[in-house]
Amino acid sequence: MKLLRYGPLGQEKPGLLDADGRVRDLSAVVADIAGDVLTPAGLDKLASLDIASLPLVPGTPQRDLRLGACVGKVGKFICIGLNYADHAAESGAKVPDEPVVFNKWTSAIVGPNDDVEIPRGSSRTDWEVELGVVIGKGGRYIAEADAMSHVAGYCVVNDVSEREVQLERGGGQWDKGKGHDTFGPIGPWLVTADEVPDPQQLAMWLEVDGRRFQNGNTSTMVFGVKKLVSYLSQFMSLQPGDIISTGTPPGVGLGQKPVPIYLKAGQTMRLGIQGLGEQQQRTVQA
């Protein structure tokens, strides 16, 4: 299934994408794509529905029908840094011995086609296409062998970053540099795990104004999805609807040679992951 949330900002309704690419309304079935709806029992309930009997929503998604973030009421937005060896190299960092963990504030979450703000005073705002893992079954101290049973599905994430704040101000503040409002576009839809047989074999890419900067594959992750779910659960309980953004391949603005390239207002980012859909955002000044 491809689950989504559609409608005006702050008034999103639950829906799913049918085989013809049309949105079907789930409002009579669930209140939101969030929490217990993402548990195995919740997803089984949705999978049993007669999709053709669900109301059609007028409009074409991502054209004249706005999509919000594909998960609502996110409790934790957990991110992994330097999780592709070639991205670590372009960033001038060593490959980590264990996952580098930071957070994006949930107030950073926006829809896949919403505007992305350049923070006031920023000259080093950057892009990062990432695989998002959405937790379905909560847990603590999860064994790697069991980790995939805790995954509801996957989505595209743009881990927008302000590099000066992240790497320099205050000695480097990753959470501050990653957490500005609009810095977390998510979606267009949550693709349930049964439709993604191997999350470690997904092509991913990102363009700015039509120029391809990132062209990678989840196969080159340092720490794969199983490892990350298990690892994080040693330090916190994972709960339904939590999102793990698993790191980015090379090609970010920071790593461009001979000089870095950063975003400015009026540009267009376009990005996607194989089987998970595409995003497109316009940059605007905050």
Side-chain angles (χ1 to χ4, degrees), residues 104 108 117 119 125 158-162 177-178 180-185:
K104 287 178 97 75
E117 292 184 353
T125 299
N158 190 354
D159 176 19
V160 186
S161 312
E162 208 299 321
K178 301 278 194 168
H180 190 274
D181 288 4
T182 75
F183 270 23

Side-chain angles (χ1 to χ4, degrees), residues 7-277:
L9 181 64
Q11 302 175 44
E12 293 90 349
K13 296 181 179 180
L16 59 75
L17 196 72
D18 70 16
D20 297 317
R22 300 173 300 180
V23 173
R24 299 279 181 165
D25 182 34
L26 286 172
S27 297
V29 183
V30 295
D32 202 354
I33 305 299
D36 288 346
V37 171
L38 298 169
T39 64
L43 293 179
D44 285 347
K45 177 182 177 182
L46 295 182
S48 69
L49 296 172
D50 176 11
I51 294 176
S53 69
L54 297 171
L56 271 171
V57 178
T60 301
Q62 299 185 278
R63 292 184 189 173
D64 54 355
L65 176 63
R66 177 188 176 270
L67 298 185
C70 58
V71 180
K73 302 180 178 66
V74 176
K76 294 190 286 295
F77 193 176
I78 310 160
C79 299
I80 308 299
L82 305 174
N83 198 29
Y84 290 71
D86 31 15
H87 170 58
E90 73 174 354
S91 301
K94 76 177 189 71
V95 177
D97 297 323
E98 57 183 278
V100 173
V101 181
F102 63 95
N103 294 296
K104 287 178 97 75
W105 319 125
T106 56
S107 53
I109 294 173
V110 291
N113 299 87
D114 291 343
D115 291 346
V116 166
E117 292 184 353
I118 306 296
R120 295 177 185 177
S122 169
S123 60
R124 296 173 63 183
T125 299
D126 205 348
W127 58 82
E128 297 189 5
V129 59
E130 305 203 359
L131 173 67
V133 178
V134 180
I135 296 298
K137 182 171 70 174
R140 301 168 61 207
Y141 301 107
I142 299 167
E144 274 192 57
D146 299 327
M148 301 308 282
S149 70
H150 290 260
V151 175
Y154 305 91
C155 62
V156 182
V157 175
N158 190 354
D159 176 19
V160 186
S161 312
E162 208 299 321
R163 300 300 189 190
E164 181 183 4
V165 176
Q166 177 194 356
L167 300 173
E168 297 177 16
R169 289 180 56 182
Q173 297 277 339
W174 280 44
D175 289 356
K176 284 198 308 187
K178 301 278 194 168
H180 190 274
D181 288 4
T182 75
F183 270 23
I186 296 173
W189 25 76
L190 185 164
V191 180
T192 51
D194 60 295
E195 295 192 5
V196 185
D198 187 356
Q200 304 304 155
Q201 292 291 334
L202 302 176
M204 55 204 307
W205 54 273
L206 182 143
E207 298 173 352
V208 179
D209 291 342
R211 176 181 171 186
R212 182 69 59 99
F213 282 96
Q214 291 188 275
N215 214 8
N217 194 290
T218 58
S219 63
T220 64
M221 281 185 189
V222 178
F223 306 105
V225 173
K226 286 194 291 189
K227 173 67 175 181
L228 293 175
V229 171
S230 174
Y231 179 85
L232 291 170
S233 76
Q234 312 306 307
F235 304 98
M236 67 193 84
S237 61
L238 296 177
Q239 298 161 332
D242 286 349
I243 298 173
I244 304 167
S245 198
T246 57
T248 199
V252 300
L254 172 68
Q256 299 303 307
K257 302 292 188 289
V259 293
I261 297 173
Y262 295 112
L263 294 165
K264 56 185 182 293
Q267 294 187 290
T268 298
M269 289 181 283
R270 185 168 162 261
L271 58 149
I273 299 178
Q274 179 183 352
L276 304 184

